[in-house]
Amino acid sequence: MSFISELSHRDRVFDFLTPTLSPVDVRHGPILYMDGVTVTFDGFRAINDLSLTIDDGELRCIIGPNGAGKTTMMDIITGKTRPDTGSVWFGSRHNLLTKSEPDIASLGIGRKFQKPTVFEALSIFENLELAMSADKRVFPSLTARMTGETIDRIEEVLTTVGLTRLRHRAAGILSHGQKQWLEIGMLLMQKPRLLLVDEPVAGMTEQEMERTAELLTSLAGKQSVVVVEHDMGFVRSIARTVTVLHQGSVLAEGTMDQVSNDPKVIEVYLGEGA
Amino acid sequence: MWLTRPLSERSTQLFLGILFIAMLLVTVLHVALPEGHALHVSAYTVTLLGKYLCYALLAVAVDLVWGYLGILSLGHGAFFALGGYAMGMYLMRQIGDRGVYGDPLLPDFMVFLNWDALPWYWQGFDMAWFAVIMVLLAPGLLALVFGFLAFRSRVTGVYLSIITQALTFALMLAFFRNEMGFGGNNGLTDFKDILGFNLRTDATRLGLFLATGVALAVGYIVCRAIVASKLGRVSIACRDAEARTRFLGYRVERVQLFVFVVSAMLAGVAGALYVPQVGIINPSEFSPLFSIEIVVWVALGGRATLYGAVIGAVLVNYAKTVFTGIMPDAWLFALGALFVLVTVFLPKGIAGLLPSLRRPKVGDDPAAPGPGHDPGYDPDHDPDQAADAQSPANREATV
C-alpha cells in the first residue's frame, strides 16, 4: 500500500527509484537525524521519544547514567535493534530503519564496541585488511589481491593508531588499550562518515587515555564522531558538544560547562535533593 | 590467478612433493618388483592406500569447514556417501546384461524387486560425464539447500552440529528403504568395470589409487587457495567473532554457505573415488558414527592445518586396519583412548608436533597464509613412522 501511495506523490522522485547505496547527502547539515524514536523491551522503554541530530564533521559526546539507553541508541543506528516508532536518517537520503546491518556498515557508519573485539588469531595487519572498505562479497574476496595502494592505506592507519611496529603480530597479544586502538584503526579502514565509539577509554591508563583523546580529536572534522563515555574527565578533555541521556531521552545538550551546571543533570547524576 | 597461489607456498610444495614421491614409490614398488619380493607392494595394499587417500580428502574437506570456519559438521559422511552413490549408480549401469539376472537395463536389485522400468533418477547414469557432474552436484545441492536454511537462520555451534547429525541419520534411514531405489540395505555392489577398465585388474586398481592421489592434491590446493585468500581470513574472522565480522560488512552466511558447499563437493569426490576401490556403497556410510569418526581424524591430526587432517585420516585408518586385524574388539577402545590422549596432551593434534620450517613474513606477502598454522610438514617426525617397519610402502601411510 505504501508503494501505491508513494506513486501518487508526483512532485518528487519515488523512493524506489533512488539507488539504495548512493552517497550520503549532508547538504542540509546533519549527518544523523533521529526523531521520536521509541524502543520497548518487554514493556520497558529503553528509548523514549529520543530526538537527536549530529552535524557533519562534529565530535559529539554522549553521557548518561547506566541504563540511560546509550548502547541501545547505537544498536538502533547500526541496525541491530529496530525501534517501535520514530525515524532515523543518515544524511537526508538514507532511511536507516529499512537497511540491514551490513548495508549500514557499507553506507559509512562504523561502530566500536564497548568490549574491544578484534580477530585474535589474525595479525594486526590482517585485521585492518579485513576492515578495509572493499567489495566484501564472497567471490571478490576470494580473488582479491593486495595492491600497493591498499598496503599504503593500511600502513597509514597503522601509523595513526601507533601500531606500526607490531603489525605482523597476532592481535591476541595486544594489551587492552592497544586493542581499543586497533578497533579504532579498523573503523578508520572502513572510511566511515560517522564513527560510533562506545566507551573508548574503559580500563585504560592515564597515558593511554591522553593518546586516545588526541586520536579522537584528530579524527573529528574529517569524520563525524559520536563518543559514548562514562569518564567525565575524558569527556571534558575532548568534548565540544555534550548530550546527556536519561531514561531513554535527551535530558540536556550543550557545552560541557553548560550541561554540568544544568540543575536537571546535577539531579540525575547526584541524586534527588542534591 | 587465485587458484594457483598456493603453488608458490613452501608448505604446499612440500606436501605435494611428499604426496607425489609416495605415489611414485608405491607405483614403482608395485610394478617393478616381482611378487614375493620383500619390498613388493601388493594390489591389496595399493587399494588399501587408495582408500586412505579418499579418507584423507574427506578429512581435508571437514577441516576446511571446522578448522577455518568453526562449523563442526557431524554429517559430512552424508556428502561422502552421496558422491559415492552417484558413482555407484554409474558403475551399476556399466554392468549392463552381465548381472545375475542378465537384464540389459535394470540392475539386479530392481529385477529382484520386480520393477519393470528404470526410475527417472537413474536416467543418464550410463554416461560417465553425467555421473561426474552428479558426484559434484548431488552433495553440492544438498549442502546449498541445507546450508542456506541453517546459516540464514544463524544456526551455529552445537545446534548446527546436531542438525547435521540428524541430516545424515535421516538420509541413512531413507536409503535403507528398498522403495528409494538405491538397493536398500545391500546398497550397490558387484561392479564390473569403470570407463571400460576391468575393476578387478591390478592396473585399474593402481590407476584408481593414482587418481585418488591426484584428487587429494587438487582438493588440497583448492582448500589452501581458499584459506590463503582474503576469503580465508574472513572465514577465520567468522569463526572467532561472527557478529564483529557482520559489522565489518561481510555477509557471514554467504561466506559460510560458499565454504560449506565447496567442502561438501570435495567430500562427494572422495566418496566417488572410494566406491570403485572398496567395491560397494551401502547406507552404512551415512551412519552418524562414521561422520563422528571423520571429526576424530581431523582432531587427531590437528585442526586448521589441512595437512594435519591428512595425517590424522591416514594414521587413524592405518591403526584401524592393524588393530581390527589383531584385536577386532579392542579397536573402538583404542580409538577412544587415542582421542582422549591427543586432546589432553596434544591440543594442536599431531600437526602441532611438527617443527615450523619457516616463520613466514606475514603481511609483506599478500598471499601469506594465516598466522599460526603454517608450519611445514616433516614426515620424519611422524610418531608412527618408527612403528611400521613392515615395508617402505607404509611410508605412504604418513602422507
Side-chain angles (χ1 to χ4, degrees):
Chain A
M1 277 313 287
S2 65
F3 174 75
I4 294 168
S5 66
E6 198 180 297
L7 285 177
S8 62
H9 293 291
R10 299 184 53 191
D11 54 331
R12 61 176 191 225
V13 179
F14 305 133
D15 274 356
F16 58 87
L17 287 179
T18 48
T20 44
L21 290 182
S22 56
V24 182
D25 181 3
V26 290
R27 279 172 304 176
H28 302 289
I31 190 158
L32 183 75
Y33 175 82
M34 298 177 83
D35 185 44
V37 177
T38 300
V39 184
T40 316
F41 295 125
D42 293 329
F44 169 70
R45 288 198 167 195
I47 298 283
N48 187 8
D49 195 26
L50 174 72
S51 300
L52 184 75
T53 50
I54 309 287
D55 285 331
D56 192 29
E58 191 185 347
L59 171 61
R60 172 75 63 93
C61 284
I62 295 184
I63 57 174
N66 281 328
K70 294 166 299 194
T71 303
T72 312
M73 184 196 80
M74 294 232 182
D75 285 346
I76 292 169
I77 299 170
T78 51
K80 196 177 172 194
T81 304
R82 297 285 179 210
D84 304 332
T85 54
S87 52
V88 183
W89 287 80
F90 187 48
S92 48
R93 196 173 285 158
H94 300 289
N95 181 358
L96 293 184
L97 299 185
T98 62
K99 293 187 167 45
S100 65
E101 290 165 52
D103 278 345
I104 292 174
S106 50
L107 272 177
I109 296 185
R111 176 174 185 184
K112 198 203 80 62
F113 289 86
Q114 216 163 326
K115 185 168 165 270
T117 328
V118 297
F119 304 119
E120 306 209 337
L122 298 174
S123 73
I124 290 157
F125 190 92
E126 289 168 331
N127 266 279
L128 293 176
E129 182 206 357
L130 290 193
M132 187 169 57
S133 54
D135 194 336
K136 291 183 174 170
R137 287 171 302 166
V138 170
F139 288 100
S141 302
L142 187 60
T143 55
R145 298 200 72 99
M146 198 164 288
T147 60
E149 202 180 321
T150 60
I151 293 175
D152 288 349
R153 169 110 187 96
I154 293 173
E155 293 292 339
E156 185 192 318
V157 170
L158 279 170
T159 317
T160 312
V161 297
L163 293 172
T164 311
R165 208 170 41 80
L166 295 167
R167 63 182 177 281
H168 296 320
R169 304 293 299 276
I173 63 144
L174 295 181
S175 72
H176 179 74
Q178 287 169 323
K179 277 183 191 163
Q180 298 273 25
W181 294 333
L182 175 56
E183 274 245 19
I184 294 174
M186 287 166 76
L187 277 185
L188 293 177
M189 290 305 296
Q190 297 179 52
K191 290 192 184 159
R193 295 297 304 271
L194 176 64
L195 270 165
L196 305 175
V197 189
D198 205 346
E199 302 203 5
V201 296
M204 277 192 180
T205 62
E206 247 354 276
Q207 289 96 328
E208 286 176 330
M209 248 190 234
E210 267 169 43
R211 286 219 36 209
T212 310
E214 268 169 43
L215 182 58
L216 288 177
T217 39
S218 75
L219 295 179
K222 281 175 278 177
Q223 280 100 8
S224 314
V225 186
V226 175
V227 181
V228 165
E229 186 50 69
H230 273 305
D231 190 301
M232 283 302 174
F234 179 74
V235 171
R236 193 177 288 276
S237 71
I238 62 166
R240 289 155 213 185
T241 318
V242 179
T243 300
V244 185
L245 285 193
H246 179 55
Q247 292 178 350
S249 46
V250 176
L251 185 72
E253 198 168 285
T255 64
M256 191 65 193
D257 289 333
Q258 279 169 354
V259 298
S260 54
N261 291 324
D262 189 314
K264 283 184 293 181
V265 176
I266 294 171
E267 189 184 311
V268 165
Y269 266 91
L270 300 177
E272 281 169 44
Chain B
M1 174 58 176
W2 64 275
L3 201 53
T4 54
R5 270 186 229 158
L7 294 177
S8 54
E9 291 169 2
R10 190 128 169 252
S11 65
T12 308
Q13 288 167 353
L14 199 62
F15 174 83
L16 293 179
I18 291 168
L19 178 65
F20 284 129
I21 289 171
M23 281 161 62
L24 193 71
L25 204 64
V26 170
T27 310
V28 168
L29 293 180
H30 173 66
V31 175
L33 295 179
E35 255 176 79
H37 191 284
L39 294 177
H40 176 74
V41 177
S42 67
Y44 168 77
T45 312
V46 169
T47 300
L48 194 64
L49 295 173
K51 204 174 100 177
Y52 292 168
L53 291 186
C54 290
Y55 286 149
L57 179 57
L58 177 59
V60 167
V62 170
D63 194 22
L64 182 68
V65 288
W66 187 29
Y68 292 94
L69 205 55
I71 294 173
L72 174 56
S73 167
L74 293 179
H76 252 58
F79 305 123
F80 180 80
L82 279 181
Y85 265 99
M87 176 56 94
M89 287 160 83
Y90 163 72
L91 295 175
M92 284 307 261
R93 296 289 305 265
Q94 291 303 296
I95 298 173
D97 57 6
R98 288 169 293 172
V100 178
Y101 296 109
D103 191 296
L105 193 63
L106 295 187
D108 278 347
F109 74 89
M110 291 187 192
V111 180
F112 184 74
L113 292 171
N114 289 325
W115 291 15
D116 44 19
L118 207 60
W120 60 269
Y121 46 85
W122 275 77
Q123 303 293 340
F125 277 98
D126 49 334
M127 293 168 284
W129 63 266
F130 184 80
V132 169
I133 291 175
M134 291 316 284
V135 160
L136 292 168
L137 213 59
L141 268 181
L142 177 67
L144 189 74
V145 173
F146 176 84
F148 175 78
L149 295 172
F151 301 139
R152 193 192 53 165
S153 326
R154 301 194 183 173
V155 179
T156 46
V158 182
Y159 300 101
L160 189 76
S161 302
I162 293 171
I163 296 176
T164 54
Q165 183 97 101
L167 170 80
T168 193
F169 190 66
L171 280 170
M172 179 176 75
L173 295 181
F175 274 72
F176 263 130
R177 290 156 28 99
N178 280 329
E179 300 80 36
M180 279 287 282
F182 294 105
N185 201 8
N186 299 319
L188 310 175
T189 186
D190 208 16
F191 308 131
K192 301 281 190 244
D193 46 30
I194 181 169
L195 299 169
F197 299 103
N198 188 339
L199 276 170
R200 289 192 173 76
T201 62
D202 290 355
T204 312
R205 289 176 164 208
L206 184 68
L208 281 169
F209 161 75
L210 293 175
T212 312
V214 171
L216 175 61
V218 171
Y220 185 89
I221 292 171
V222 168
C223 290
R224 195 62 228 165
I226 293 175
V227 165
S229 74
K230 190 179 166 195
L231 187 69
R233 295 189 281 280
V234 176
S235 303
I236 293 175
C238 297
R239 178 191 74 188
D240 293 344
E242 195 182 311
R244 185 75 180 87
T245 317
R246 206 168 263 126
F247 272 111
L248 285 183
Y250 293 97
R251 306 252 177 203
V252 171
E253 61 281 355
R254 292 192 193 167
V255 174
Q256 289 171 328
L257 191 59
F258 173 76
V259 178
F260 192 65
V261 168
V262 169
S263 168
M265 287 172 141
L266 287 176
V269 171
L273 287 161
Y274 174 82
V275 168
Q277 301 194 68
V278 298
I280 184 167
I281 173 81
N282 62 31
S284 69
E285 306 296 340
F286 281 111
S287 86
L289 208 62
F290 175 60
S291 292
I292 292 173
E293 244 187 89
I294 309 167
V295 170
V296 174
W297 306 338
V298 177
L300 279 171
R303 271 175 71 184
T305 54
L306 294 183
Y307 58 80
V310 175
I311 299 172
V314 174
L315 278 188
V316 174
N317 282 293
Y318 176 67
K320 187 176 182 174
T321 308
V322 172
F323 250 92
T324 47
I326 306 169
M327 292 185 285
D329 298 331
W331 163 242
L332 279 178
F333 293 100
L335 181 67
L338 207 60
F339 187 54
V340 171
L341 286 176
V342 169
T343 327
V344 172
F345 295 108
L346 299 171
K348 284 181 180 170
I350 295 163
L353 288 176
L354 306 174
S356 178
L357 277 196
R358 58 163 187 157
R359 277 257 48 90
K361 283 184 1 187
V362 190
D364 292 345
D365 169 12
H373 32 69
D374 191 41
Y377 171 66
D378 185 352
D380 294 326
H381 285 72
D382 236 325
D384 254 38
Q385 189 70 40
D388 52 39
Q390 195 187 359
S391 81
N394 282 318
R395 202 179 160 69
E396 179 67 18
T398 60
V399 174

